[in-house]
Amino acid sequence: MLYTEIDSPLGPLLLTGRPSATAPGGTALVSLSVPGQHNGATVQPDWQRDPGAFAEAGRQLAAYFAGDAKDFDLEFAVQGTEFRQRVWDALDTVPYGSTTTYGELAARIGAPRAAVRAVGGAIGANPLLVLRPCHRVIGADGSLTGYAGGLERKRLLLALETPRA
């Protein structure tokens, strides 16, 4: 496993990935974590620090945080159940600057209304904070609920994506 840390408005980001011949920049991302994240990645002794492997991801993240990019063109190499993959794929369709609810996301993947908790669990297990926009999912009443990176970071990301007058 390759890894690096990059600075961001959210604090240091820990990026992990694997070499990939098809990925922009040559590295498919496995995770993007922030300090204190629930179930976030932590550097393991056998991992190899390689900042250059994440140069393209770093460039795209810097453009996003500067307000110059609205999406990412990166390869992901995450593993999850078929249900989680469906939820994560649905997250990728939530447009920049907008939000959706857990119920709307459940409907989007064809899950019954009763599956809202399971959808929330899959969102909470998203290993690619920021890149896969789980911060755009809010409660049915419009409240900011659950974010593995913390609600203050969720507020910051939503404010970043709010159009300025």
Coordinates of all heavy atoms in Angstrom, one line a residue, residues 98-136:
S98 N -25.1 20.8 -4.5 CA -26.4 20.4 -4.1 C -26.4 19.3 -3.0 O -25.3 18.8 -2.7 CB -27.2 19.8 -5.4 OG -26.6 18.6 -5.8
T99 N -27.5 19.0 -2.5 CA -27.6 18.0 -1.5 C -28.7 17.0 -1.8 O -29.6 17.3 -2.6 CB -27.8 18.6 -0.1 OG1 -29.1 19.4 -0.1 CG2 -26.7 19.5 0.4
T100 N -28.7 15.9 -1.1 CA -29.8 14.9 -1.2 C -30.0 14.4 0.2 O -29.2 14.6 1.1 CB -29.4 13.8 -2.3 OG1 -30.6 13.0 -2.5 CG2 -28.3 12.9 -1.8
T101 N -31.0 13.6 0.3 CA -31.3 13.0 1.6 C -31.0 11.5 1.5 O -30.9 10.9 0.5 CB -32.8 13.2 2.0 OG1 -33.6 12.4 1.1 CG2 -33.1 14.6 2.1
Y102 N -30.9 10.9 2.7 CA -30.7 9.4 2.8 C -31.8 8.7 2.1 O -31.6 7.7 1.3 CB -30.6 9.0 4.2 CG -29.4 9.5 4.9 CD1 -29.4 10.7 5.6 CD2 -28.2 8.9 4.9 CE1 -28.3 11.3 6.3 CE2 -27.0 9.4 5.5 CZ -27.1 10.6 6.2 OH -26.0 11.1 6.8
G103 N -33.1 9.2 2.3 CA -34.2 8.6 1.6 C -34.2 8.7 0.1 O -34.5 7.7 -0.6
E104 N -33.8 9.9 -0.4 CA -33.7 10.1 -1.8 C -32.6 9.2 -2.4 O -32.8 8.6 -3.5 CB -33.4 11.5 -2.1 CG -34.6 12.4 -1.9 CD -34.2 13.9 -1.9 OE1 -33.0 14.3 -1.9 OE2 -35.1 14.8 -1.9
L105 N -31.5 9.0 -1.7 CA -30.4 8.1 -2.1 C -30.9 6.7 -2.2 O -30.6 5.9 -3.1 CB -29.2 8.3 -1.3 CG -27.9 8.1 -1.9 CD1 -27.7 9.0 -3.1 CD2 -26.8 8.4 -0.9
A106 N -31.6 6.3 -1.2 CA -32.2 4.9 -1.1 C -33.1 4.7 -2.3 O -33.0 3.6 -3.0 CB -33.0 4.7 0.2
A107 N -33.9 5.6 -2.6 CA -34.8 5.5 -3.8 C -34.0 5.5 -5.1 O -34.4 4.7 -6.0 CB -35.8 6.7 -3.8
R108 N -33.0 6.2 -5.2 CA -32.1 6.3 -6.4 C -31.5 4.9 -6.7 O -31.3 4.6 -7.9 CB -31.0 7.3 -6.1 CG -30.6 8.0 -7.4 CD -29.5 9.0 -7.0 NE -30.1 10.3 -6.7 CZ -29.4 11.4 -6.5 NH1 -28.1 11.4 -6.6 NH2 -30.0 12.5 -6.2
I109 N -31.2 4.1 -5.7 CA -30.6 2.8 -5.9 C -31.7 1.7 -5.9 O -31.4 0.5 -6.0 CB -29.5 2.4 -4.9 CG1 -30.1 2.3 -3.5 CG2 -28.4 3.5 -5.0 CD1 -29.1 1.7 -2.5
G110 N -33.0 2.1 -5.8 CA -34.1 1.1 -5.8 C -34.3 0.4 -4.5 O -34.9 -0.7 -4.5
A111 N -33.8 0.9 -3.4 CA -33.9 0.3 -2.1 C -35.2 0.7 -1.5 O -35.6 1.9 -1.7 CB -32.7 0.6 -1.2
P112 N -35.9 -0.1 -0.7 CA -37.1 0.3 0.0 C -36.8 1.4 1.0 O -35.7 1.6 1.5 CB -37.6 -0.9 0.6 CG -36.4 -1.8 0.8 CD -35.5 -1.5 -0.4
R113 N -37.8 2.2 1.4 CA -37.7 3.2 2.4 C -37.1 2.7 3.7 O -36.4 3.4 4.4 CB -39.1 3.8 2.6 CG -39.1 5.1 3.4 CD -38.9 6.3 2.5 NE -39.0 7.5 3.3 CZ -38.1 8.4 3.4 NH1 -36.9 8.2 2.8 NH2 -38.3 9.5 4.1
A114 N -37.4 1.4 4.0 CA -36.9 0.8 5.2 C -35.4 0.7 5.2 O -34.8 0.4 6.2 CB -37.6 -0.5 5.5
A115 N -34.8 0.8 4.0 CA -33.3 0.6 3.9 C -32.5 1.9 4.2 O -31.3 1.9 4.0 CB -33.0 0.1 2.5
V116 N -33.2 2.9 4.6 CA -32.5 4.2 4.9 C -31.4 4.1 5.9 O -30.3 4.6 5.7 CB -33.5 5.3 5.3 CG1 -32.8 6.5 5.8 CG2 -34.4 5.7 4.2
R117 N -31.5 3.3 6.9 CA -30.5 3.0 7.9 C -29.3 2.3 7.2 O -28.1 2.7 7.5 CB -31.0 2.3 9.1 CG -31.8 3.1 10.0 CD -32.3 2.2 11.2 NE -31.4 2.1 12.3 CZ -31.2 3.0 13.2 NH1 -31.9 4.2 13.1 NH2 -30.4 2.8 14.3
A118 N -29.6 1.4 6.4 CA -28.5 0.6 5.7 C -27.8 1.6 4.7 O -26.5 1.5 4.6 CB -29.1 -0.6 4.9
V119 N -28.5 2.5 4.1 CA -27.9 3.5 3.2 C -27.0 4.4 4.0 O -25.8 4.6 3.7 CB -28.9 4.3 2.5 CG1 -28.3 5.5 1.8 CG2 -29.6 3.4 1.4
G120 N -27.4 4.8 5.2 CA -26.6 5.6 6.1 C -25.4 4.9 6.5 O -24.3 5.4 6.6
G121 N -25.5 3.6 6.8 CA -24.3 2.8 7.2 C -23.3 2.7 6.0 O -22.1 2.8 6.3
A122 N -23.8 2.5 4.8 CA -22.9 2.5 3.7 C -22.2 3.8 3.4 O -21.0 3.9 3.1 CB -23.7 2.1 2.4
I123 N -22.9 4.9 3.6 CA -22.3 6.2 3.5 C -21.3 6.4 4.6 O -20.2 6.9 4.3 CB -23.4 7.3 3.5 CG1 -24.3 7.2 2.3 CG2 -22.8 8.7 3.7 CD1 -25.6 8.1 2.4
G124 N -21.6 6.0 5.8 CA -20.6 6.1 6.9 C -19.3 5.3 6.7 O -18.3 5.6 7.2
A125 N -19.5 4.3 5.8 CA -18.3 3.4 5.6 C -17.5 3.9 4.3 O -16.6 3.2 3.9 CB -18.8 2.0 5.4
N126 N -18.0 5.0 3.7 CA -17.3 5.5 2.5 C -15.8 5.8 2.8 O -15.5 6.6 3.7 CB -18.0 6.8 2.1 CG -17.2 7.5 1.0 OD1 -16.5 7.0 0.2 ND2 -17.5 8.8 0.9
P127 N -14.9 5.1 2.2 CA -13.5 5.3 2.5 C -12.8 6.5 1.8 O -11.7 6.8 1.9 CB -12.8 4.0 2.0 CG -13.7 3.6 0.9 CD -15.1 4.0 1.2
L128 N -13.6 7.2 0.9 CA -13.1 8.3 0.1 C -13.8 9.6 0.4 O -14.4 10.2 -0.4 CB -13.2 7.9 -1.4 CG -12.4 6.7 -1.8 CD1 -12.9 6.2 -3.2 CD2 -10.9 7.1 -1.9
L129 N -13.6 10.1 1.6 CA -14.1 11.4 2.0 C -13.7 12.4 1.0 O -12.7 12.3 0.4 CB -13.7 11.8 3.4 CG -14.2 11.0 4.6 CD1 -13.8 11.7 5.9 CD2 -15.6 10.7 4.5
V130 N -14.6 13.4 0.7 CA -14.4 14.5 -0.2 C -14.5 14.0 -1.7 O -15.3 14.5 -2.4 CB -13.0 15.2 -0.1 CG1 -13.0 16.4 -1.0 CG2 -12.8 15.7 1.4
L131 N -13.7 13.0 -2.0 CA -13.7 12.5 -3.4 C -15.0 11.9 -3.8 O -15.5 12.0 -4.9 CB -12.6 11.5 -3.6 CG -11.2 12.0 -3.3 CD1 -10.2 10.8 -3.4 CD2 -10.8 13.1 -4.3
R132 N -15.6 11.1 -2.9 CA -17.0 10.5 -3.1 C -17.8 11.3 -2.1 O -17.7 11.1 -0.9 CB -16.9 9.0 -2.8 CG -18.2 8.4 -3.0 CD -18.0 6.9 -3.2 NE -17.8 6.6 -4.6 CZ -17.1 5.5 -5.0 NH1 -16.5 4.7 -4.2 NH2 -16.9 5.3 -6.3
P133 N -18.7 12.2 -2.6 CA -19.3 13.3 -1.8 C -20.4 12.9 -0.8 O -21.5 13.3 -0.9 CB -19.8 14.3 -2.9 CG -20.2 13.4 -4.0 CD -19.1 12.3 -4.0
C134 N -20.0 12.1 0.2 CA -21.0 11.8 1.2 C -21.4 13.0 2.1 O -22.4 13.0 2.7 CB -20.4 10.7 2.1 SG -18.8 11.0 2.8
H135 N -20.6 14.1 2.0 CA -20.9 15.3 2.7 C -22.2 16.0 2.1 O -22.8 16.8 2.8 CB -19.7 16.3 2.7 CG -19.3 16.7 1.4 ND1 -18.4 15.9 0.6 CD2 -19.6 17.8 0.6 CE1 -18.2 16.6 -0.6 NE2 -18.9 17.7 -0.6
R136 N -22.6 15.6 1.0 CA -23.8 16.2 0.3 C -25.1 15.5 0.7 O -26.1 15.9 0.2 CB -23.6 16.1 -1.2 CG -22.4 16.9 -1.7 CD -22.3 16.8 -3.2 NE -21.0 17.5 -3.6 CZ -20.4 17.2 -4.7 NH1 -20.8 16.2 -5.5 NH2 -19.2 17.7 -5.0

